[in-house]
Amino acid sequence: MAADVRGYFINWWKNICSMVQNVVPVILSGGSGSRLWPVSRKSYPKQFWPLLSDKTLIQETALRGRAAGFADPVVICNSEHRFIVAEQLRDAGIHKAKIVLEPVGRNSAPAIAAAAFMVAEQDPDAILWIMAADAAITDETALQHSLKDALKAAEAGRIVTFGMKPTRPETGYGYIEAGAELAGVQGVYEVSRFIEKPQAAKAEELFQSEKCLWNSGMFFAKAGVFLKETEQFEPRIYETVGQSVRNRHTDMDFERLEEESFSAAPDISVDYAIAERTKLAAVVPGNFGWSDIGSWDALWDLTPKDAEGNATFGDVFLDDARNCYVRSDGIIATVAGVDDLIVVVTPDAVMVSHRDRAQDVKHMVNRLAQAGRKEAVAHNRCYRPWGFYESLIQADRFQVKRIVVEPGAKLSLQKHFHRAEHWVVVGGTAMVTRDEDLVMVRENESIYLPLGCVHRLENPGKIPLTLIEVQSGPYLGEDDIVRIEDVYARS
Amino acid sequence: MAADVRGYFINWWKNICSMVQNVVPVILSGGSGSRLWPVSRKSYPKQFWPLLSDKTLIQETALRGRAAGFADPVVICNSEHRFIVAEQLRDAGIHKAKIVLEPVGRNSAPAIAAAAFMVAEQDPDAILWIMAADAAITDETALQHSLKDALKAAEAGRIVTFGMKPTRPETGYGYIEAGAELAGVQGVYEVSRFIEKPQAAKAEELFQSEKCLWNSGMFFAKAGVFLKETEQFEPRIYETVGQSVRNRHTDMDFERLEEESFSAAPDISVDYAIAERTKLAAVVPGNFGWSDIGSWDALWDLTPKDAEGNATFGDVFLDDARNCYVRSDGIIATVAGVDDLIVVVTPDAVMVSHRDRAQDVKHMVNRLAQAGRKEAVAHNRCYRPWGFYESLIQADRFQVKRIVVEPGAKLSLQKHFHRAEHWVVVGGTAMVTRDEDLVMVRENESIYLPLGCVHRLENPGKIPLTLIEVQSGPYLGEDDIVRIEDVYARS
């Protein structure tokens, strides 16, 4: 950080230090991100991948709030992703996040209302900084400017949006037309109107206008103000979500919203439900390099490139390529004699597309899903509360898996009706329950689990346990499992 | 086969049946085929892959000789490929091929001379049909026509080449200019001259000419005639190769040429050594769809295509693609919104190239080789005389392999200094030597081989033995092996 920037930051910090204790980042982790397939999939969507740095998008998002000195975040996510969220936040050094589980997906208005209810229980005047888990911001200094402006307006009871000065006639974003500057709040403007994602001609017109800004979908508003507007414009959301919050229960480190009432909430975005209706809307024009990373092309745009305009990641060799995005999270990828191409390789899929057609990746994902292909939604590596497993080879009568168990974690007590298992420990130490016995299995030792035996795998040690599992039997589906006991409360 | 074609074939068969007993196909299996990387590699080049049908190219080549009623072939190959050649011919039902091993590669003239010497030992008047193992011929009926014409000229003592009517101004082939028709041999012409691979302008000129034909590199000539011309034009080849054939020794099913004398032979092609010098050259113009499959683009050209001009193979999904060749021998490949692209996926590499740049694949292979990447020359699956193995995962202190042993085969008696091995049998039955013991290991049983123990794996059964090997230790290189005894005479 340059000295003048650091000096600026310290001043800014002093200015707002008294105010920031009651700003709570609300991180919405709801998207399934099929537009960045095959990296991003329903089972492990794009917010959980390191796409722009060595941190994942949700980590970058959460750390942005910490850098501003705000409170620990509230993260609202799909129940299926809870262990991923918890581990990624822990990895980023964020230990006191509140992780709220949606029993079903109901779009952004109910999710935000749930966060607002929970924050308001402590302090209705606390300010929510609402944002998606999977967006990029490239200019943190500019962001700090905008946050400072937004804070004043939110303190004054406004629902503040952040509008980005357009750099191209983008058809993939909604727009905000700014009106007059707020009286007494420099840098913040009235909202004249919200404009939905435009067609190309309209986008060009908006791009030319001085007043029209991209709608970043971020909000700054007091929890109480947000709830009041929700009550006025969407009383059904106010009622159902309020009830699901009051009836929530705590499941380990997670806050689980009550399913019955939350399911009854209307499925509606915060833009339609509140932003476009409220008279309290305001907008802070900003230039902090926000992007929703809505396609591989957008990611290419955000990534540093070589002299020929190529952005690469992983085990990639290029020859006479220009303006390409080439990424491998698996085997070597070589690309030669092409322009404007996207090539993405994961351990189980290859995707090649013209950059101009990057938006259409989701159509391909739909086709794969219709064809019943698991690659459409799930990765080969499956994350579990205790670690992960991945299939190394699957054949008619055998399967080999790598299983990694985190220190202190244990799998469920289980049995199988159609397969025997050979476990070879290749790293760490395993404690294995096998029927009546408890056996310690060390590195370079193995144990045999005959068909039907009741068994459990546990890592009693201080380093990850890695084992190779060789399954043998006529049926090897994941559903051949009877869970007799599970510390993670899975059925 | 249509009835008229069948009728024609039967007549043709009757016509030449008396002559064909002494035609011996000579199949040159010398190329390393880097232009079809990543499928074709030095360790397993393109002649061993099924690229145009469910048969491999060398199988198609060998079966073409059988379809014409010729003798069993002589195959000249790299010693490293001997077990692949033997198994692929066996698979194709060709059990009496003579497989001749070159101790070193010395280009086509010495290889052909070796075949000629060996055939001439039995019958100097036998006719050699000399051809590469890795070319395509799409019109077998037209080929039969041309062979019939060539046979007459070869019987008359000529060295007959096969010239293809050009379909484009190809710069990748040499050309033959045909002269006057041979007296008394209809359909066969004198050779005016051989023309080397031309530049583009020259190629256009040759393409326009009525007399210029692509040089297919196939020959038809009596063994004795071929040797006489070799003796006259390349006495050093005649002398050295003659000696290496006389001093050859038989190694299992293989004829191994003597290394010292063969190594002394000049490295020179049959075109330079004989064809362009002899006064006996003749040419049969043919249109039987010959191609040397010199690039992925050429393979695209030879492969049936969909309405949009796409040729696909394996687990491939296309969306709005045109004139592409997309092949996967591994994970799913999706290609969208592109034209004229080649996408090839193997279990360990992805290659994307513009079709117009398909010839440049070899540059990429050179770069990978310079970077020390094993993918440049070897596949993940390694074929051995006893079967094959492939690495499923390799980490710092462990590796997992799948090992398949053919019925009756056995690995060497060996030991390792840096790794222990766990073997889990998942198919078939293993007989395992472990120090003093001989242990039978059945499906769903395992055995442990501690570091330093002397061991051997054998398949005593009637079906392939499949086992999963888990290696554990600080060094897992293939070179940590001491072979104490080996039925395949490997050091």
Side-chain angles (χ1 to χ4, degrees):
Chain A
M1 207 186 287
D4 56 339
V5 174
R6 181 187 297 270
Y8 169 80
F9 185 79
I10 290 171
N11 281 332
W12 171 82
W13 174 263
K14 285 180 182 160
N15 282 343
I16 61 168
C17 220
S18 58
M19 313 159 88
V20 299
Q21 297 310 317
N22 60 349
V23 175
V24 181
V26 174
I27 299 173
L28 307 174
S29 174
S32 70
S34 68
R35 287 179 300 176
L36 292 190
W37 186 88
V39 168
S40 178
R41 305 184 196 181
K42 195 159 171 283
S43 73
Y44 209 85
K46 79 178 202 276
Q47 58 268 33
F48 303 125
W49 290 96
L51 294 178
L52 289 164
S53 71
D54 59 345
K55 297 263 183 292
T56 68
L57 295 178
I58 198 171
Q59 287 177 327
E60 290 184 348
T61 303
L63 289 170
R64 232 171 260 139
R66 165 160 298 184
F70 297 157
D72 285 310
V74 175
V75 180
I76 303 166
C77 71
N78 183 328
S79 176
E80 195 192 326
H81 298 146
R82 65 196 187 279
F83 295 108
I84 308 172
V85 170
E87 193 190 327
Q88 293 208 349
L89 293 179
R90 247 196 327 269
D91 269 4
I94 295 170
H95 297 279
K96 290 185 179 165
K98 201 185 281 289
I99 301 174
V100 183
L101 308 184
E102 293 182 298
V104 293
R106 278 294 176 269
N107 214 325
S108 54
I112 295 168
F117 273 117
M118 290 175 70
V119 172
E121 284 174 359
Q122 308 292 323
D123 177 8
D125 284 336
I127 289 166
L128 309 181
W129 179 21
I130 299 158
M131 70 202 103
D134 59 357
I137 286 174
T138 56
D139 187 341
E140 301 271 346
T141 307
L143 172 68
Q144 304 290 12
H145 272 284
S146 294
L147 289 177
K148 185 180 166 192
D149 292 339
L151 200 55
K152 291 178 293 185
E155 288 284 355
R158 306 298 293 252
I159 296 180
V160 187
T161 62
F162 295 79
M164 299 294 107
K165 182 72 194 149
T167 54
R168 59 183 184 272
E170 174 67 54
T171 58
Y173 295 149
Y175 287 70
I176 297 171
E177 187 178 305
E181 197 168 44
L182 262 60
V185 191
Q186 219 183 353
V188 188
Y189 297 79
E190 297 288 349
V191 170
S192 292
R193 58 178 175 137
F194 287 88
I195 302 155
E196 289 190 44
K197 290 180 188 177
Q199 301 288 315
K202 178 78 174 171
E204 187 60 49
E205 186 189 310
L206 298 170
F207 176 55
Q208 297 299 336
S209 155
E210 286 293 307
K211 294 179 184 171
C212 291
L213 305 163
W214 287 340
N215 182 356
S216 71
M218 293 201 302
F219 295 92
F220 233 63
K222 285 186 181 171
V225 169
F226 201 94
L227 287 173
K228 207 167 155 217
E229 299 300 279
T230 304
E231 186 176 18
Q232 181 180 345
F233 297 114
E234 289 288 341
R236 181 91 184 120
I237 290 182
Y238 186 85
E239 178 196 330
T240 54
V241 175
Q243 190 176 338
S244 79
V245 170
R246 286 187 297 276
N247 295 348
R248 73 183 182 274
H249 74 277
T250 301
D251 166 13
M252 304 172 65
D253 299 329
F254 308 108
E255 303 280 351
R256 206 180 270 279
L257 298 172
E258 187 206 38
E259 182 162 0
E260 192 185 342
S261 44
F262 194 83
S263 303
D267 186 307
I268 182 167
S269 78
V270 65
D271 296 288
Y272 287 121
I274 311 291
E276 298 180 9
R277 290 160 161 183
T278 180
K279 299 213 182 317
L280 301 175
V283 60
V284 174
N287 278 309
F288 43 79
W290 171 91
S291 166
D292 73 349
I293 323 179
S295 68
W296 286 112
D297 190 38
L299 188 58
W300 172 81
D301 209 41
L302 289 164
T303 307
K305 287 171 272 290
D306 67 18
E308 284 75 40
N310 300 299
T312 62
F313 176 95
D315 195 4
V316 170
F317 282 71
L318 300 184
D319 176 24
D320 193 32
R322 282 157 303 275
N323 302 317
C324 292
Y325 183 88
V326 183
R327 177 187 184 98
S328 176
D329 296 279
I331 57 180
I332 186 173
T334 73
V335 175
V338 296
D339 293 58
D340 301 304
L341 218 59
I342 291 164
V343 178
V344 179
V345 179
T346 68
D348 64 349
V350 175
M351 192 280 294
V352 178
S353 163
H354 196 279
R355 263 183 47 223
D356 292 347
R357 303 294 300 278
Q359 292 283 350
D360 297 344
V361 169
K362 58 181 182 293
H363 300 153
M364 183 61 85
V365 177
N366 288 341
R367 269 185 62 198
L368 296 181
Q370 277 158 22
R373 298 295 299 248
K374 68 174 176 42
E375 293 95 334
V377 293
H379 286 274
N380 185 42
R381 180 176 289 191
C382 291
Y383 288 87
R384 290 289 178 262
W386 43 261
F388 69 84
Y389 69 84
E390 60 194 1
S391 182
L392 301 178
I393 187 172
Q394 178 147 27
D396 252 9
R397 288 184 57 88
F398 72 93
Q399 180 172 209
V400 182
K401 284 182 179 175
R402 165 159 72 158
I403 298 177
V404 174
V405 184
E406 296 298 331
K410 59 166 90 170
L411 280 69
S412 61
L413 185 68
Q414 57 187 243
K415 64 177 176 179
H416 314 291
F417 289 123
H418 302 292
R419 65 179 188 252
E421 293 175 348
H422 300 255
W423 289 348
V424 182
V425 173
V426 291
T429 300
M431 185 66 78
V432 179
T433 306
R434 182 173 59 177
D435 289 329
E436 304 307 308
D437 302 326
L438 195 60
V439 186
M440 184 173 291
V441 187
R442 284 157 286 231
E443 186 178 310
N444 194 26
E445 291 181 351
S446 70
I447 186 168
Y448 175 62
L449 304 160
L451 190 157
C453 92
V454 173
H455 60 278
R456 161 175 268 164
L457 176 62
E458 184 178 350
N459 179 359
K462 299 297 180 196
I463 59 169
L465 158 67
T466 303
L467 64 79
I468 302 301
E469 173 178 279
V470 181
Q471 304 177 349
S472 180
Y475 177 79
L476 304 166
E478 286 299 321
D479 57 348
D480 174 21
I481 184 167
V482 179
R483 286 210 176 91
I484 295 142
E485 192 194 306
D486 184 18
V487 293
Y488 307 106
R490 298 168 300 174
S491 59
Chain B
M1 205 187 290
D4 54 342
V5 174
R6 181 187 298 268
Y8 169 80
F9 185 79
I10 290 170
N11 281 333
W12 171 83
W13 174 264
K14 285 180 182 161
N15 282 343
I16 60 166
C17 221
S18 56
M19 313 159 90
V20 298
Q21 296 310 318
N22 60 348
V23 174
V24 181
V26 174
I27 299 174
L28 306 175
S29 174
S32 70
S34 68
R35 290 179 299 177
L36 292 191
W37 187 88
V39 168
S40 177
R41 304 184 195 180
K42 195 160 171 282
S43 74
Y44 209 85
K46 77 178 204 276
Q47 59 267 33
F48 303 126
W49 291 95
L51 294 177
L52 289 165
S53 71
D54 59 345
K55 297 263 184 292
T56 68
L57 294 178
I58 198 172
Q59 288 176 327
E60 289 185 347
T61 302
L63 289 171
R64 232 171 259 139
R66 166 161 298 183
F70 296 158
D72 285 310
V74 174
V75 180
I76 304 167
C77 72
N78 183 327
S79 177
E80 194 192 326
H81 297 146
R82 64 196 186 280
F83 294 107
I84 308 172
V85 170
E87 194 190 327
Q88 292 208 350
L89 293 179
R90 249 197 326 269
D91 269 5
I94 294 170
H95 297 278
K96 290 185 180 168
K98 200 185 283 291
I99 301 175
V100 182
L101 309 184
E102 292 181 299
V104 293
R106 278 293 176 270
N107 213 325
S108 54
I112 295 169
F117 273 114
M118 290 175 71
V119 171
E121 285 173 358
Q122 309 292 322
D123 177 9
D125 284 336
I127 289 167
L128 310 180
W129 179 21
I130 298 158
M131 69 202 105
D134 58 357
I137 286 173
T138 55
D139 187 341
E140 302 271 345
T141 307
L143 172 67
Q144 305 290 11
H145 271 285
S146 294
L147 290 178
K148 184 181 165 191
D149 291 338
L151 200 54
K152 290 178 294 183
E155 289 281 357
R158 305 299 293 251
I159 296 181
V160 187
T161 62
F162 295 80
M164 299 295 108
K165 182 74 196 151
T167 55
R168 58 183 184 275
E170 175 68 52
T171 59
Y173 295 149
Y175 288 70
I176 296 171
E177 186 178 307
E181 197 169 45
L182 262 58
V185 191
Q186 218 183 355
V188 188
Y189 298 78
E190 297 288 349
V191 171
S192 290
R193 56 177 178 140
F194 287 88
I195 302 156
E196 287 189 46
K197 290 179 186 177
Q199 300 289 315
K202 178 77 175 173
E204 187 60 50
E205 187 189 311
L206 298 170
F207 177 55
Q208 297 299 335
S209 154
E210 285 295 304
K211 294 178 184 170
C212 292
L213 304 163
W214 287 341
N215 183 356
S216 70
M218 292 201 302
F219 294 93
F220 232 64
K222 285 186 181 172
V225 169
F226 202 93
L227 287 174
K228 208 168 155 216
E229 298 301 279
T230 304
E231 186 176 16
Q232 180 181 345
F233 296 114
E234 289 289 339
R236 182 88 183 125
I237 291 181
Y238 186 83
E239 179 195 332
T240 54
V241 175
Q243 192 177 340
S244 80
V245 169
R246 284 187 297 277
N247 295 347
R248 75 184 182 272
H249 74 276
T250 300
D251 166 12
M252 302 173 65
D253 299 329
F254 308 109
E255 304 280 351
R256 205 180 269 280
L257 298 173
E258 188 206 36
E259 182 163 0
E260 192 185 341
S261 44
F262 195 82
S263 302
D267 186 307
I268 183 168
S269 78
V270 66
D271 296 288
Y272 287 121
I274 311 290
E276 299 181 8
R277 290 161 159 183
T278 182
K279 299 214 180 320
L280 302 176
V283 59
V284 174
N287 278 309
F288 43 79
W290 171 89
S291 166
D292 73 348
I293 324 180
S295 69
W296 286 112
D297 189 40
L299 188 58
W300 171 81
D301 208 42
L302 289 164
T303 307
K305 287 172 271 292
D306 68 17
E308 284 75 39
N310 300 301
T312 63
F313 175 95
D315 195 3
V316 169
F317 281 71
L318 301 184
D319 177 24
D320 193 32
R322 282 157 302 276
N323 302 317
C324 292
Y325 183 88
V326 184
R327 176 186 185 99
S328 177
D329 295 281
I331 57 181
I332 186 172
T334 74
V335 175
V338 295
D339 295 58
D340 301 305
L341 219 59
I342 291 163
V343 177
V344 179
V345 179
T346 67
D348 64 349
V350 175
M351 192 280 294
V352 178
S353 163
H354 195 280
R355 260 183 48 221
D356 293 346
R357 303 294 301 277
Q359 292 282 352
D360 297 344
V361 169
K362 59 180 182 293
H363 300 152
M364 183 63 84
V365 177
N366 288 341
R367 268 184 62 198
L368 296 181
Q370 277 158 23
R373 298 295 300 247
K374 66 173 176 42
E375 293 94 335
V377 292
H379 286 275
N380 185 42
R381 181 176 288 192
C382 291
Y383 288 88
R384 289 290 177 264
W386 43 261
F388 69 84
Y389 69 85
E390 62 195 1
S391 181
L392 302 177
I393 187 173
Q394 178 147 26
D396 252 9
R397 289 184 56 88
F398 71 92
Q399 181 173 210
V400 183
K401 284 183 180 175
R402 165 159 70 158
I403 298 177
V404 175
V405 184
E406 296 298 330
K410 59 166 89 171
L411 281 69
S412 61
L413 185 68
Q414 56 187 239
K415 65 178 175 180
H416 313 292
F417 290 123
H418 302 293
R419 66 178 188 253
E421 293 176 345
H422 299 254
W423 288 348
V424 183
V425 174
V426 292
T429 300
M431 186 64 78
V432 179
T433 306
R434 182 173 59 177
D435 290 328
E436 304 307 307
D437 301 328
L438 196 61
V439 186
M440 186 174 288
V441 188
R442 283 157 285 232
E443 186 178 310
N444 195 26
E445 291 181 350
S446 70
I447 185 168
Y448 175 61
L449 304 160
L451 190 157
C453 92
V454 172
H455 58 278
R456 162 175 266 163
L457 177 62
E458 185 178 349
N459 178 358
K462 299 295 181 197
I463 59 169
L465 158 67
T466 302
L467 64 79
I468 302 300
E469 172 178 280
V470 182
Q471 305 177 348
S472 180
Y475 178 78
L476 304 167
E478 285 299 322
D479 56 349
D480 175 22
I481 185 167
V482 178
R483 286 209 175 92
I484 295 142
E485 191 195 305
D486 184 17
V487 293
Y488 307 107
R490 298 169 300 172
S491 58

